[in-house]
Structure formats: structure tokens, C-alpha cells
Amino acid sequence: MSQVIVVGGGAAGMMAAICSAKEGNQVVLLEKNEKLGKKLFITGKGRCNLTNAGDIEDLMGHVVTNREFLYSAFYSFTNEQMMEWMEHWGCPVKVERGNRVFPVSDKSSDVIRAMERELRRQKVTVELNTEVRRILTEGGRTSGVELKGSGTLKADKVVIATGGMSYPSTGSTGDGYGFAKKAGHKVMHLDPALVPFNIDGTVCSRLQGLSLKNVEASLYADGKRIYKEFGEMLFTHFGISGPIIISASSYAVRYRGKQLKFCIDLKPALSEEQLDQRILKDFQENINKEFKNSLGKLLPKKMIPVILELSGIPEEKKVHEITKNERRKLTALLKAVPLIVTGTRGFKEAIITHGGVDVKEINPSTMESRKVRGLYFAGEVLDLDALTGGYNLQIAWSTGYLAGMN
Ligand SMILES: Cc1cc2nc3c(=O)[nH]c(=O)nc-3n(C[C@H](O)[C@H](O)[C@H](O)COP(=O)(O)OP(=O)(O)OC[C@H]3O[C@@H](n4cnc5c(N)ncnc54)[C@H](O)[C@@H]3O)c2cc1C
């Protein structure tokens, strides 16, 4: 039996603590907040999209950073096991669109409560309002932790599950990166990911609140397309957000320093030729009207003044005076509305942290450090991130499981 300390009472830490205690260890879970799972509570808009019911290839396919590292973790503790465990712990789950898994109650608090019950059942000692300051090491192995204000705690093994940098109000303030560096680990550059973008100019603020379904967003880095996705997006006072936009940010982080530009295809179901014919038909129906009064069937009302301006065609121009060349330019614009990126929003608004403890220095079968014996890492503190859909929490469960079991 080992004395085990788990630092961080989020998804990964609670899982690690439960699994380690199941293995017969004496486990103390330290959490600096006044309660466990503060970030879990806000996941999935308060409903907690706790995993994804797709097959393992699908899970892997949605991991953006260091996918291969996760093979062992995803096979050792699968999404199906997570769903079974949740049911077994008294929190029934359901599968929704896109294989997203939620508690039947639609309450993230029920996921947290189920895990708290299991922590009690496994006799894990939970210490709240307890902040770890430093990881203690002796002769190349860990010996415990130093606490803020109240001395040290001895242990044979320590699991760092302190999360990332995103939504720091939940307690994820990046402490684990400092612990890792002190232990001799490399920490890969940290960037907010799954986060909205700031866009140059006033187009977005003028469209603020407008949500577009069934559009296609392409992201270019120095002119080269690096991302394309069909779905829903939203204009905000600072730029753009919504599912297909925030996913783009996970890929954009690899192109730091390059010029980033979105092109939004407002009519992805139509080829440029088909759209031109469609516009021609609308123009014929409005032949004696002014240009500004000819786009009502094609575009949401709020968008018309912006498109008029970007098209360069005078808005008062009679439709029958619009040249073929002008119409062609309008068609091209609707297939690719350009939006120049000035940056992403910060960690405060990011769903996940890109970067973190370099996985090359972690054993993927046990989550143990290759630098310090008895030191383990789990969850977002590692340089792992995935797209939305329950994949990030599955990373926390699977890596937490391996750290706990070992
Ligand atoms: C708004 C939002 C919605 C999300 N929705 C989803 C979703 O629906 N599905 C999904 O899969 N993912 C979602 N995510 C991502 C998901 O929440 C994270 O991937 C996951 O919580 C990471 O788990 P973790 O245990 O590694 O870290 P965290 O959950 O961040 O837990 C880390 C814990 O460590 C504690 N801690 C930190 N430093 C110390 C210290 N020095 N001493 C003691 N304790 C410390 C923190 O207080 C915190 O409780 C969402 C994220 C956000 C921000």
C-alpha cells in the first residue's frame, strides 16, 4: 500500500483518486477551492458532456494534439467504461446528437455528486481549501508536497491533476506547469484553444448577435488553407464565435506569427456557377429596383448593408445597370466573405489549453514522469487537447484512470 497524494479535484484528479484507492492505496485528494469539480460544473453549459459514445477511431480522430500518446489511455479506460461507471455510481447517462453523452438529468452537478459518493466509498481523504505550493523530491523521486501556509504532506507518489489555464476562475490557474518545470519537465507553449477570434474592422460588430447556420468557414494561414468546416457561427462585438469557429482555433495555434484570415461561404450548398444563376434570377425579379433592395431573399436582413458595402457596387444603383463583372464579384464575395484575424480571445474565454507538459517525458501506459519517479500527471495539464464533443473530458478520465491505477 502506498501513500498517494492527488493534487487537483477536477475531472482527472477525482478519477485518479478513486482508481488509486480502489487499488488499495491510502489516498489524499487536495483541492484549493472550497469544493470539488468547479470546472466540471460549468461544462456542457451546465449539462456536462462527459464523454462521446463514438468508437475509438472517432475518439482518436477528434484529438488535435498528441493523439498517439493517448492510445494506451483510451484503450485502458474507454468511453463505454466511463458510461458504465457513471451508471454504476448512480448517475444514468444518455447519448445525444453527435454521440455526445450527458447525464439523463442534464445536470453536471449529478456527475460531481456521483464522483463524490465514490470518493467516500473508496475512503479517499478529501482536503478542500488546500493549495499545493511545491512538489517535494528526494534523490530523483517524489516525497510529498508543500502546502500553502501549513507545512508539508509526505507521500510515496504524487499525481498532478491541476488542469490548464482556461477559465482561471474555476481554479485552473496553471500551477501544475510550474510544478512540472521545477521537476525538470519541459512545458510546451501555452495557448488558449477552443476559443473565439478577434476580427479586424467593424463588420463583425455591425453584425453582432447574428447567428448563421449551414455556412462553411475556411481558415487560411499566409494564404494556405489550414481548416474548413460546415456548420454554425456567430458574430459578436469583437469578432466571431460559434462551433465551427472555435474549433478552428485548435488548429490556428500551430500557425503563430502567420497572417490568419477566415473566408465564410454563405452558400456552401451552391457552386459559384449555381449561386451566380440564383443571383441573376433574383436580379431579374427586381430589375427596376435599386441594388440595396434586391438581396432580401438571399441574405439575412442584418447582413445586407454589410454585403452592399463589401461588394463595392453603389447601393442606389439600379439592378439593370449592374454589370456582369459586378455580379460575378458579388457572387465571389458571398462564397468567401473575408475576415482578417487579429488574434484569439484569451484564456478567460477558452474551453481548453493548448500546450502543457511535454508528453515525450511521460510514460503513456502509466502517466508516470520519466524524470522523477513516483510523480504522475493527468488531464489538461498535459500537452493534450481535443475538439468539443466530450473528448476533452474523456482525456481527463482515461489519463486519470491510468495515473490512479499505477
Ligand atoms: C466552459 C467550459 C465548458 C466545457 N465543456 C466541456 C464539455 O462539455 N465536455 C468536455 O469534454 N470538456 C469540456 N470542457 C473541458 C473540460 O472541462 C476540461 O478538459 C477538464 O475539466 C480538464 O480536467 P482536469 O481535471 O485536467 O482539470 P480541471 O477540471 O481544471 O481541474 C483542476 C483542478 O485542480 C485544482 N488546482 C489547481 N491548482 C491547484 C493547486 N496548486 N493546489 C490544489 N488544487 C489545485 C483546481 O482548482 C481544479 O479544481 C469545458 C471547459 C470549459 C472551460
Side-chain angles (χ1 to χ4, degrees):
M1 185 173 73
S2 296
Q3 302 281 334
V4 176
I5 289 175
V6 178
V7 187
M14 285 196 276
M15 181 58 92
I18 289 169
C19 293
S20 183
K22 263 181 192 258
E23 287 299 286
N25 298 307
Q26 219 164 53
V27 183
V28 181
L29 174 60
L30 306 176
E31 167 55 54
K32 70 175 168 185
N33 287 328
E34 69 294 354
K35 56 184 167 201
L36 297 174
K38 258 198 170 176
K39 182 172 281 172
L40 254 185
F41 184 72
I42 61 166
T43 57
K45 300 200 167 89
R47 296 171 62 221
C48 186
N49 175 197
L50 63 118
T51 185
N52 189 285
D55 59 25
I56 191 117
E57 289 311 314
D58 175 71
L59 294 196
M60 285 291 178
H62 284 84
V63 176
V64 180
T65 308
N66 289 319
R67 182 175 297 174
E68 314 75 44
F69 177 83
L70 282 165
Y71 262 103
S72 202
F74 276 180
Y75 274 106
S76 302
F77 187 71
T78 66
N79 49 353
E80 280 171 16
Q81 263 166 295
M82 186 58 201
M83 290 187 263
E84 275 165 31
W85 282 26
M86 267 296 146
E87 299 264 345
H88 182 67
W89 294 343
C91 175
V93 298
K94 59 179 173 178
V95 181
E96 293 192 358
R97 185 176 55 87
N99 282 328
R100 289 165 190 250
V101 178
F102 293 91
V104 167
S105 64
D106 284 327
K107 284 189 190 145
S108 58
S109 54
D110 285 346
V111 173
I112 300 166
R113 264 195 228 124
M115 296 194 83
E116 284 172 337
R117 279 197 298 273
E118 190 58 20
L119 285 165
R120 278 197 295 275
R121 201 152 39 220
Q122 298 299 339
K123 305 206 164 31
V124 171
T125 306
V126 177
E127 300 286 358
L128 300 173
N129 301 306
T130 306
E131 183 174 333
V132 170
R133 269 287 179 80
R134 207 158 66 89
I135 308 295
L136 305 172
T137 53
E138 267 171 40
R141 64 169 306 129
T142 176
S143 57
V145 300
E146 185 183 297
L147 302 176
K148 185 182 172 191
S150 55
T152 60
L153 267 183
K154 292 277 168 205
D156 310 309
K157 298 190 171 187
V158 174
V159 181
I160 298 180
T162 44
M165 296 271 282
S166 62
Y167 276 68
S169 53
T170 62
S172 319
T173 47
D175 299 8
Y177 304 125
F179 302 155
K181 278 186 193 159
K182 280 242 168 73
H185 278 269
K186 185 171 169 193
V187 174
M188 306 307 273
H189 193 278
L190 304 169
D191 284 292
L194 294 180
V195 68
F197 285 86
N198 293 318
I199 299 293
D200 194 29
T202 58
V203 163
C204 295
S205 60
R206 286 161 68 192
L207 295 175
Q208 179 178 349
L210 178 66
S211 156
L212 298 176
K213 291 199 172 91
N214 307 324
V215 294
E216 191 173 84
S218 297
L219 180 61
Y220 295 83
D222 280 352
K224 181 175 152 238
R225 180 148 71 188
I226 58 162
Y227 172 87
K228 183 173 94 164
E229 192 59 85
F230 172 86
E232 195 173 340
M233 67 172 287
L234 173 75
F235 291 93
T236 69
H237 65 282
F238 55 76
I240 48 177
S241 186
I244 60 172
I245 301 301
I246 65 167
S247 292
S249 67
S250 293
Y251 298 93
V253 289
R254 296 185 201 155
Y255 298 88
R256 215 175 294 119
K258 306 243 187 256
Q259 207 214 36
L260 296 178
K261 181 175 99 172
F262 275 98
C263 283
I264 310 297
D265 184 347
L266 298 174
K267 301 287 170 190
L270 302 178
S271 69
E272 194 146 338
E273 203 42 54
Q274 287 168 328
L275 178 59
D276 193 52
Q277 288 306 310
R278 165 74 204 273
I279 295 174
L280 191 60
K281 185 166 151 270
D282 286 6
F283 277 5
Q284 277 158 359
E285 283 168 14
N286 296 292
I287 196 95
N288 290 318
K289 289 196 183 150
E290 291 177 343
F291 175 44
K292 66 178 177 197
N293 297 320
S294 67
L295 299 176
K297 273 170 126 182
L298 204 60
L299 295 172
K301 203 168 163 203
K302 200 164 186 171
M303 206 152 203
I304 293 175
V306 171
I307 293 295
L308 289 175
E309 192 179 304
L310 293 176
S311 76
I313 307 172
E315 59 177 53
E316 321 266 87
K317 195 167 188 173
K318 291 282 191 227
V319 167
H320 65 260
E321 289 170 358
I322 295 175
T323 65
K324 183 173 174 188
N325 196 21
E326 283 174 325
R327 194 189 71 232
R328 282 283 180 182
K329 274 199 189 149
L330 173 66
T331 307
L333 172 66
L334 299 185
K335 290 296 285 177
V337 178
L339 299 170
I340 307 290
V341 172
T342 56
T344 65
R345 304 297 283 176
F347 283 108
K348 271 191 191 160
E349 295 169 52
I351 288 180
I352 198 91
T353 307
H354 170 87
V357 176
D358 187 357
V359 296
K360 284 197 205 81
E361 297 170 348
I362 307 294
N363 180 338
S365 311
T366 60
M367 298 297 138
E368 189 174 15
S369 159
R370 296 192 201 272
K371 301 257 172 191
V372 177
R373 271 174 296 135
L375 183 63
Y376 295 73
F377 290 88
E380 199 176 326
V381 69
L382 289 163
D383 182 18
L384 302 168
D385 63 273
L387 297 177
T388 57
Y391 307 102
N392 283 303
L393 279 173
Q394 186 62 42
I395 292 176
W397 310 133
S398 292
T399 55
Y401 172 91
L402 275 187
M405 293 306 279
N406 288 285

